[in-house]
Amino acid sequence: MGMEDDIQKDFLAESRENMELLDQQFVELESEPDNAELIKSIFRTIHTIKGTSGFFGFNTLEGIAHFAEDILSKLRDGIVAVNEKITTVLLQAVDHINAILASLEQTGKEPDELEHLDFIVELRDFAEKLETSRDTTPDQKGGSPEGTKTNETDASAQAGPEDENPTQCPAKSRKDETSGESEKTDLPGEKVSPVSGQEPKAEKPERSSSPTTYKASDMKQGFGRTPQLTESHIRVDVNLLDRLMNLAGELVLSRNRMVQIAGQLNNQELLQANQRMSLVVTEMQEQIMQTRMQPVGNVFNKFPRIVRDLARQAKKQVQLRIEGAETELDRSIIEIIKDPITHMVRNSIDHGIEKPDTRTANGKPPGGTLTMRAYHEGGQVIIEIEDDGAGIDAQIIRRKAVDKGVLGEVQAEALSDRDALLLIFQAGFSTAEQVTNISGRGVGMDVVKSNIEKLGGAVDIQSRIGRGTTVRIKIPLTLAIIPALIVNTAGQRYAIPQVNLVELFRLSDESVERNIQIVGGSEYYRLRGQILPLIRLRRVLGLKEKEPRNGLNIVVLNNGDKNFGLVVDGINDSEEIVVKPLGSHLKHIDCYAGTTLMGDGRVALILDVVGMTAALNLQSDKPMERSLSQEESIVTAEERQFILLFSVGPEEYFAIPLALVSRLDKITPDDLEMVSGQEVIQYRGRSIPVIRLENYLPISPLPEQDEYHLIVFHLNDKDIACLVSGIDDSLDMAVEVEEQMFRQEGIVGSAIINDHTTLFLDIYQIIELHDPSFFSGSCHETRVGRILLAEDSTFYRNLLSSYMVAAGYDVVVAEDGRQGWEKFKQEEIDLVITDIEMPHMDGLELTRKIRSHEVNSDVPVIAVTSLTGDSHRQRGLEAGINDYQMKLDRERVLSSVHELMDT
Amino acid sequence: MGSQSDFPIEQQSDAKEKSVAFQNEDTAHFVTFYFAEHFFGLPISEVVEINRSLEITPVPLAQPYVAGIVNLRGQIITAVNLARRIELAMNTESVDEFEYHNVILGRHNEPVSLLAERIGDVVEIPVSQIEPPPSLIEGMKVEYIKHVCKLPGQLLIILDGDSLQRPDTADTGEPDTSTSPAVN
């Protein structure tokens, strides 16, 4: 029983393999109808299936194989010549055989479906008709005499062994349903003697004139495979190989430990023995790795058939060229790239290659060429899908993008052709004028891209109108072993795949303070003039922020789209790591790509750079970054602020500190919705209230525009947005604000910027005017306490003081440290808020004085600055400052005040 | 690598045959272990092996019941904190500070390591004494409990290996090829 099971399994596996080969061979046969070797090879495959299925008693399978063999024998013997009809029927037979094999594999039984039986009848009829039809349809094909000749000679030479059918005659072993029919036909093909000179037949001119580009070696390999396989190949369960890989990894670790011990013992003999073992183990690991490599041809070889079917469906003529099928790739990668490649091939045939008449009209050959190419480049494998079709018109893509609301018109126009092409990888794009059942609705290219990026690969597209399109996929050789950078954070090691790595650098405390800017809650660093967003790994992983720091280690990574800096505690080393998948309990976490074993036998997580940024929602806030990169003046630690300038209507200019802005966006009037009398927009599935400034300020109303700008604030854990006409500029300036001229709720003051009178908004007040309950629940309970506020800038002094007053505190203001110190001595103060940089006496000095005061030395002190930096913080803490806040972050300042007041 | 088994439970057929034989006499074998004062058991057929504490690598952002990942002879498996998994009410607050033992489950699917505080004996119990769990057991989630058995002096809580192993997340994904047992 077990024995038979094993044989059956072998049979299935072998048949599967052969069937894959068949697909390819049939398509080849169409373009080379005279290739006798090819026909014989196909015949042999079918013949083997027939024989073996008879042995196991798979009647349906045997029936189909039998009649397919019938047709093939006629081809082989030159009774009929290959034509499209025959190929189609034979391919159908292959499909049925595949379906039955699949069912056998799953259930161990043949499927009961009638369609297979129906097909047997059809196939038999076809086989019978073939003989008679050859006389009636000679006009269908023209012919090449040489080909026929070789065909015949080969056929007669081969006829002997092939004709001797195996002992189990199918007609006898087949019972039930097929028996009746089979007796009638009884292997007619083999009995008809070859008729010579009968077929001056060949293929359609364009087919035979364009030779396929399978290399001769591929052919040989293909044909020789069946007999060779049994001698030199065995089938191994893939799981077994995986386990072997695991164990080899473990062996390497054990070896490392041994080498360590031998070194400690300093035993020469042991060291030598170890060295020998090291070599063997390393080599063994390499060999085991090798077992996972497969030629990419395993995927490519499925395409002749797919291309043929698709081309027929689309009524186009497509010739497939395959190059570099022998390029080797890891088994797991091959499996993953299959679908993306299929998708792109479909796209090429459906959208790329034109109909024959269009092509002819454009002076191209009627048949298009699709090239699939694989090769190694720089330790990676490149796969290219190239067509000579119509190309992609960037202008059409732009228009589509605007129509579909993916981009605004201005944005779309600003895109380079290259960037516009990349839009097809976004969800919801389909450029075909008509959606066909081949390419679907443009869903997919985005999936293609994300699937490939998940592998650590990249997709690129190049296209020339009228000349064709090339899609280029870059993928790593193997997923199993990758070079990685090991970093550590919070006492654990993490591996970062080297493909994502751009560079490493380290910032001293001083440089951290000077060069890291905080905008809208995110940190940015200027690296050689480029703005680099910084992400702290501890924050990403939800770990505690590190308290004392000693410079920053920054790993610059690329997520396939843009660079960003990952702040880690430490950088260890570069290593080749063995990637192991995450268990099902952890798979859902986007930040991890897998796990790996480190040299000491401990486990480390592999970070998923793409997933990590997706989780963080790292968006390209272009205006925000531009604002940072455009700012010309050198940033000093003093009272300079990034100011965002915007306008409402043609004449109303406003400014707000950029630090308060969480995001800038553009919307069209259609995006605005009215919900219970309030304007909102939908953003990431949530409704954000929209404020029109003219409702709260005496200004002209926002004119009707095709597109509005949106300034989004994230305050009190809620989003709220301001609708404005345009974002004009952003600059880094020393804030000199005139507070007297415009005394108005919602306005802090005014200044002349770029020759315009510009109003500085108090966005907190405006939001409160719009929604009095917006800030409730966080910091609006009335408080008691007297706060000393020492701040030399009138603007900030008034701003901060207004926050404190609004929160219910008494505020005593001082214009510098010295005045502050005087007032501190005179009045009863519960808490001090001080600027650091002030004339006469700075905030640190003030703090030190307070700390040495005989009575009130324990009054809490909060320091505020416009820029945060760590050495400040350090010095501040040393001077006795309790907390450190950014001036403009009202919420943080207030919560810090509440907290310190309460203690 | 500290992965010597305390109680290597043979995976070979003789172990299976034995348990089958006992079942014929209407008894079943359970691997037992303790967490706080509670006494737990798992059918011996579900337990692969028991290991003294393997080094656990924490996984930030994972579900609270995931203690981390451990290396079991080259295979990386998820360590599940039993107390957190079944939401065990504990007298001690320091659920995470024990020296754990790893009870490796998963003869049939992806293995996980169940962290237990103390390992007990393998007990043989007449099948007739095994009862369905009451609808409520104070201090733990009943969905992870398959049966209970009243032993002299204590209640043996027989856990449901499958539901302990099943991930909590909505997207369970396909089983990993490398961790699922070979299909032969």
Side-chain angles (χ1 to χ4, degrees), chain A residues 237 239 243 246 250 492 494 540-541 580-589 591-592 595 597 601-603 605, chain B residues 1 55 57-62 65 69-71 73-74 76 110 165 167 169 171 174 176-178 182-184:
Chain A
D237 191 314
N239 288 306
R243 230 178 294 163
N246 275 346
E250 197 70 1
Q492 292 297 330
Y494 296 91
V540 174
L541 299 180
K580 289 157 189 277
L582 287 163
S584 52
H585 293 264
L586 306 173
K587 258 191 185 151
H588 63 285
I589 309 174
C591 290
Y592 309 125
T595 60
L597 280 176
R602 295 189 57 181
V603 193
L605 289 157
Chain B
M1 254 140 308
E55 192 130 28
T57 300
V59 180
L61 308 176
Y65 69 80
I69 41 182
V70 296
N71 171 13
R73 286 189 301 283
I76 296 174
E110 182 192 327
Q165 273 169 277
T169 48
D171 89 272
E174 330 75 282
D176 287 318
T177 43
S178 62
V183 198
N184 286 319

Side-chain angles (χ1 to χ4, degrees), chain A residues 535-696:
Chain A
I535 295 174
R536 290 179 187 258
L537 183 56
R538 280 172 180 263
R539 211 170 287 170
V540 174
L541 299 180
L543 301 168
K544 264 190 223 128
E545 297 284 323
K546 200 171 149 196
E547 273 313 314
R549 264 179 312 207
N550 191 6
L552 283 187
N553 288 306
I554 297 173
V555 183
V556 182
L557 299 172
N558 187 292
N559 66 356
D561 183 28
K562 61 186 287 182
N563 285 358
F564 67 95
L566 186 71
V567 180
V568 298
D569 288 4
I571 292 166
N572 295 21
D573 209 352
S574 222
E575 254 179 59
E576 299 258 309
I577 58 167
V578 179
V579 180
K580 289 157 189 277
L582 287 163
S584 52
H585 293 264
L586 306 173
K587 258 191 185 151
H588 63 285
I589 309 174
D590 290 335
C591 290
Y592 309 125
T595 60
T596 189
L597 280 176
M598 304 304 298
D600 58 3
R602 295 189 57 181
V603 193
L605 289 157
I606 303 169
L607 296 177
D608 182 331
V609 171
V610 180
M612 205 158 58
T613 49
L616 269 190
N617 199 359
L618 183 77
Q619 52 208 344
S620 26
D621 270 331
K622 289 274 160 54
M624 194 90 92
E625 281 172 32
R626 200 185 55 216
S627 77
L628 283 171
S629 51
Q630 269 183 358
E631 145 262 340
E632 290 113 332
S633 50
I634 300 151
V635 187
T636 67
E638 243 304 279
E639 300 301 310
R640 303 183 72 85
Q641 266 300 322
F642 286 104
I643 301 291
L644 181 73
L645 298 174
F646 60 94
S647 53
V648 177
E651 291 298 326
E652 312 274 2
Y653 297 96
F654 295 93
I656 45 165
L658 199 52
L660 295 176
V661 178
S662 100
R663 208 166 56 235
L664 299 173
D665 220 331
K666 280 188 208 168
I667 59 163
T668 62
D670 298 342
D671 295 332
L672 289 165
E673 296 168 25
M674 286 299 277
V675 175
S676 60
Q678 215 192 25
E679 269 186 307
V680 299
I681 60 148
Q682 298 292 328
Y683 195 81
R684 297 211 181 99
R686 275 179 313 173
S687 297
I688 303 180
V690 172
I691 298 176
R692 286 176 186 263
L693 291 174
E694 69 260 28
N695 294 343
Y696 307 104

